[in-house]
Amino acid sequence: MTATPATTGHILVFNAGSSSLKVALVDPATGARAMSGTAQRLGSPDAAFALDHDGEESTLLPLHDGTHDEAVSAVLDAAQRLPDELRPVGAGHRVVHGGELFEESVLVTDEVVAAITRFSDLAPLHNPPALLGIAAVGARWPEMPQVAVFDTAFHQTMPARAFRYAVPEEWYADLGVRRYGFHGTSHRYVSERAAVLMGRQPSELALVVVHLGNGCSAAAVLGGRSVDTTMGLTPLEGLVMGTRSGDVDPGVFGYLARQSSMSSEDVTDALNTRSGLLGLTGRSNDMREVQAAARKGEKRAQLAVDVFVYRVAKAVAALVVGLGRLDAVVFTGGIGENDAPVRRHVVQALGFLGLELDEDANEKHGRATAGRICRDVSPTALVVPTDEELMIARDTVRLVRDSETDYSDL
Ligand code: ADP
């Protein structure tokens, strides 16, 4: 049989979080969304799903049980009602943990599903909902090609000196305790876009990409490959985040167990959900609110911003060691794209590396317009809006195109 795979058409992209589901119907050629939606507070009584169709008012889909399953079914129902020209030709799924097995995105097979299931031990809140999406699409459209895009894959190029912890060897050999890194799809997309904006090839560049959203991580990208990153075995390590602490002394576990009889689960939960900006301010995990409170003179909010910025700058400087030199720092994510004061303070703290902020450019560039925010010297800094969904859609189309299967009847 001659393979005539689908080479054009929309891709249905699933991004399943622990209590949320984001979906988008993406044109991989242009990045345009024909449909997009977010289900939030899944697992709680006030779960809701807002779906936007291109150019139309947002519709609220009722979720009676508020489960991931129900949310996925609602998406598939909506996709089934689309006109023929918008019907998806493939599905791409963000999968948080691919362990050491997946160095790039792959077509979903039974073996891939089994491996993702195995790695659920490493990402118990994230891998299972991704598997639900894969199973639901497979049940509804058995012929539809599906692709898994791993947060960890881009960082599989890290050398051992960067990914190994100095812990007993058998923790690594038997239990997989090492740094994996996350946000890889964003770091990959943003580093490629930065190269285009700089008029250079990714292979020539030494970049530190700083993804600052609810989750925050930075990655050293040398010649287009990740050589180090701040997140570790789990997405808890590294920078200060919305509700996650980032780095703390692991001695805190034993200390709190002795002082307050907190179990390791209690401490882990507090470090994930009650720390970061929320822990420092006692009021919010949202940088907009934290900045507003700091502007009003609230000391805890100002301290939270100071700690956040200091830790970003410190991490960037440390990551330059992995690069050996620095061409650019690239900001992305909700905070990185929108918060000009955070960028200004990080760049100023890195002045000793030769970065010189261009105040006007820093105010001008952001989510709407990517661009350089430093004077035209090297190293420089840029803002580049991330687009993980577009990257997932592109990977999906590329893998479907490269595969031998005939999907022309879809
Ligand atoms: P996620 O990691 O869930 O994808 P985002 O990348 O959207 O989240 O980032 C969310 C963060 O971005 C929040 O802390 C939010 O306050 C922050 N943010 C969004 N818009 C702005 C803004 N205009 N100024 C400062 N921070 C912003």
Side-chain angles (χ1 to χ4, degrees):
M1 181 177 73
T2 315
T4 49
T7 52
T8 56
H10 285 72
I11 301 297
L12 193 53
V13 175
F14 290 82
N15 180 351
S18 51
S19 65
S20 68
L21 174 70
K22 292 186 197 159
V23 291
L25 188 63
V26 182
D27 180 341
T30 63
R33 307 320 199 238
M35 179 177 91
S36 63
T38 310
Q40 268 162 342
R41 296 181 295 280
L42 292 172
S44 83
D46 42 348
F49 198 162
L51 199 62
D52 289 307
H53 287 272
D54 193 19
E56 285 176 33
E57 287 271 299
S58 175
T59 13
L60 271 183
L61 303 179
L63 293 177
H64 302 293
D65 304 333
T67 59
H68 266 99
D69 255 341
E70 198 187 5
V72 174
S73 291
V75 173
L76 300 185
D77 291 346
Q80 222 152 8
R81 289 192 296 269
L82 289 166
D84 279 352
E85 68 276 14
L86 292 180
R87 294 281 283 277
V89 298
H93 300 265
R94 174 190 178 208
V95 180
V96 164
H97 223 301
E100 286 188 328
L101 193 58
F102 297 107
E103 293 171 9
E104 50 190 32
S105 305
V106 289
L107 279 170
V108 172
T109 60
D110 290 347
E111 291 74 28
V112 168
V113 167
I116 297 171
T117 308
R118 257 194 338 272
F119 298 134
S120 291
D121 287 343
L122 288 163
L125 298 180
H126 289 89
N127 276 19
L131 286 165
L132 279 178
I134 291 171
V137 172
R140 183 81 63 109
W141 297 306
E143 303 302 319
M144 181 174 288
Q146 302 198 66
V147 166
V149 180
F150 300 92
D151 266 34
T152 47
F154 183 58
H155 299 300
Q156 278 298 304
T157 47
M158 284 191 289
R161 67 177 186 196
F163 75 68
R164 284 294 298 274
Y165 295 120
V167 296
E169 165 73 19
E170 62 272 20
W171 291 11
Y172 170 60
D174 301 341
L175 298 167
V177 174
R178 53 159 283 178
R179 173 175 286 117
Y180 291 94
F182 299 89
H183 285 147
T185 310
S186 176
H187 289 302
R188 179 160 58 107
Y189 176 82
V190 167
S191 52
E192 287 177 12
R193 283 283 303 144
V196 172
L197 287 165
M198 294 170 79
R200 308 271 296 276
Q201 291 300 317
S203 58
E204 305 168 344
L205 288 171
L207 306 173
V208 176
V209 179
V210 185
H211 179 117
L212 306 176
N214 279 312
C216 301
S217 73
V221 182
L222 184 63
R225 296 153 68 89
S226 172
V227 293
D228 201 355
T229 191
T230 55
M231 281 180 168
L233 173 71
T234 73
L236 183 56
E237 192 179 345
L239 304 178
V240 173
M241 315 185 205
T243 61
R244 280 174 255 165
S245 60
D247 292 342
V248 289
D249 181 345
V252 74
F253 283 85
Y255 178 74
L256 289 177
R258 290 190 301 275
Q259 295 296 315
S260 70
S261 73
M262 286 173 84
S263 68
S264 68
E265 281 77 25
D266 295 338
V267 180
T268 303
D269 183 59
L271 293 176
N272 273 295
T273 64
R274 293 192 283 122
S275 299
L277 295 176
L278 178 61
L280 283 166
T281 60
R283 62 146 62 220
S284 177
N285 64 332
D286 188 307
M287 188 54 108
R288 278 167 295 203
E289 289 176 26
V290 177
Q291 289 281 30
R295 280 195 294 275
K296 285 194 200 130
E298 214 176 279
K299 288 202 168 55
R300 284 178 67 177
Q302 187 57 56
L303 176 68
V305 176
D306 291 348
V307 174
F308 183 91
V309 164
Y310 177 71
R311 292 271 290 275
V312 173
K314 193 166 128 175
V316 173
L319 288 167
V320 175
V321 174
L323 297 172
R325 64 172 216 276
L326 178 67
D327 293 316
V329 178
V330 192
F331 291 91
T332 195
I335 299 170
E337 293 163 26
N338 293 301
D339 196 323
V342 162
R343 292 195 302 261
R344 181 172 71 241
H345 289 125
V346 172
V347 168
Q348 285 171 344
L350 293 168
F352 69 94
L353 289 173
L355 290 160
E356 289 179 40
L357 188 76
D358 178 334
E359 294 272 0
D360 293 340
N362 187 42
E363 293 299 325
K364 190 173 90 188
H365 291 302
R367 177 155 284 179
T369 49
R372 191 164 44 76
I373 60 166
C374 274
R375 289 182 213 295
D376 196 7
V377 290
S378 185
T380 190
L382 301 113
V383 186
V384 175
T386 193
D387 196 340
E388 290 161 281
E389 289 159 354
L390 175 57
M391 202 70 187
I392 293 171
R394 283 188 189 156
D395 279 5
T396 305
V397 157
R398 178 173 50 77
L399 284 163
V400 170
R401 190 180 290 162
D402 291 350
S403 76
E404 293 294 306
T405 317
D406 181 353
Y407 297 117
S408 55
D409 293 338
L410 278 174

